[in-house]
Amino acid sequence: MLSLVPNLLTLLRIAACPVLVLVLNARNYEVALLLFFFAGVTDALDGYIAKRFDCATYVGSILDPIADKLLITCAYVMLTILGDIPFYLLVVVIFRDLVIIGGYFIILLVTQERVPIQPIYWSKLNTFLQIFLVVVVLVESSGWLSLGPVQATLVLGVIVTSLVSGALYVWMWGFKRQAVGEKRP
């Protein structure tokens, strides 16, 4: 029974996405912040349970990053629509993800082999900055604290880490892979 808990928490996080969209559409930033925090706790908890009790599943390994990406994407799209983050930032974040996902599927189609997906340091930093930016925007928009300079710095950090991590994945999966393939007899 415990083995189902991580996947149920992940599904709960996916179910929170449309709720987050509706709450943000109503400009209820305080509730959105609580919901975003709740989603973060479920993410940490499902990972902890899966590792601690050795109940990680293949389905969970697919659903977990989808849930994370869906939550962040919903937050970014809504915060862009509401004018809380700049449109160009949304374009950079979405385009980076499309390049990474598209590149993965192209390699899969061309080589017929699965490429292990191991997040690199820059990707982890990018995810952290994306999440931190959402939290800062929600806190600022709630009127709790004035975090304008922090927000501007985070926007720049998300752009830089998006571009660097996206370029590194293209290099690792494309150019580096091609160079290794050319060296084989």
Side-chain angles (χ1 to χ4, degrees):
M1 185 64 166
L2 185 64
S3 63
L4 297 176
V5 172
N7 289 348
L8 290 174
L9 289 170
T10 300
L11 290 173
L12 191 59
R13 200 161 64 254
I14 291 171
C17 292
V19 177
L20 179 67
V21 168
L22 292 171
V23 168
L24 282 172
N25 189 53
R27 293 185 181 267
N28 193 336
Y29 294 105
E30 296 86 0
V31 172
L33 183 60
L34 290 173
L35 189 59
F36 200 74
F37 177 76
F38 169 76
V41 169
T42 64
D43 187 25
L45 194 57
D46 78 45
Y48 172 78
I49 293 170
K51 288 176 187 168
R52 172 72 172 88
F53 298 101
D54 195 30
C55 56
T57 64
Y58 177 71
V59 171
S61 72
I62 293 171
L63 284 180
D64 187 66
I66 289 172
D68 295 342
K69 195 48 63 182
L70 190 58
L71 188 71
I72 291 172
T73 301
C74 287
Y76 270 70
V77 168
M78 286 307 298
L79 292 172
T80 300
I81 289 170
L82 297 171
D84 296 315
I85 62 172
F87 179 73
Y88 62 84
L89 181 63
L90 175 67
V91 171
V92 169
V93 168
I94 298 287
F95 187 71
R96 172 202 174 262
D97 290 342
L98 290 175
V99 165
I100 291 170
I101 293 167
Y104 178 82
F105 282 115
I106 288 171
I107 290 171
L108 191 61
L109 288 172
V110 170
T111 66
Q112 299 292 315
E113 61 184 64
R114 287 187 186 177
V115 178
I117 301 176
Q118 293 296 325
I120 58 176
Y121 166 79
W122 284 94
S123 183
K124 290 179 181 183
L125 180 59
N126 178 256
T127 300
F128 172 77
L129 292 176
Q130 285 183 21
I131 292 167
F132 193 40
L133 178 60
V134 170
V135 170
V136 165
V137 168
L138 293 175
V139 167
E140 168 102 14
S141 297
S142 296
W144 291 346
L145 292 170
S146 180
L147 300 169
V150 174
Q151 185 175 335
T153 303
L154 284 170
V155 166
L156 181 61
V158 168
I159 290 171
V160 169
T161 57
S162 292
L163 295 175
V164 170
S165 63
L168 285 172
Y169 277 118
V170 168
W171 179 76
M172 286 178 1
W173 289 353
F175 300 115
K176 184 178 174 184
R177 191 175 180 82
Q178 185 178 9
V180 169
E182 290 172 358
K183 292 179 184 176
R184 291 183 183 159

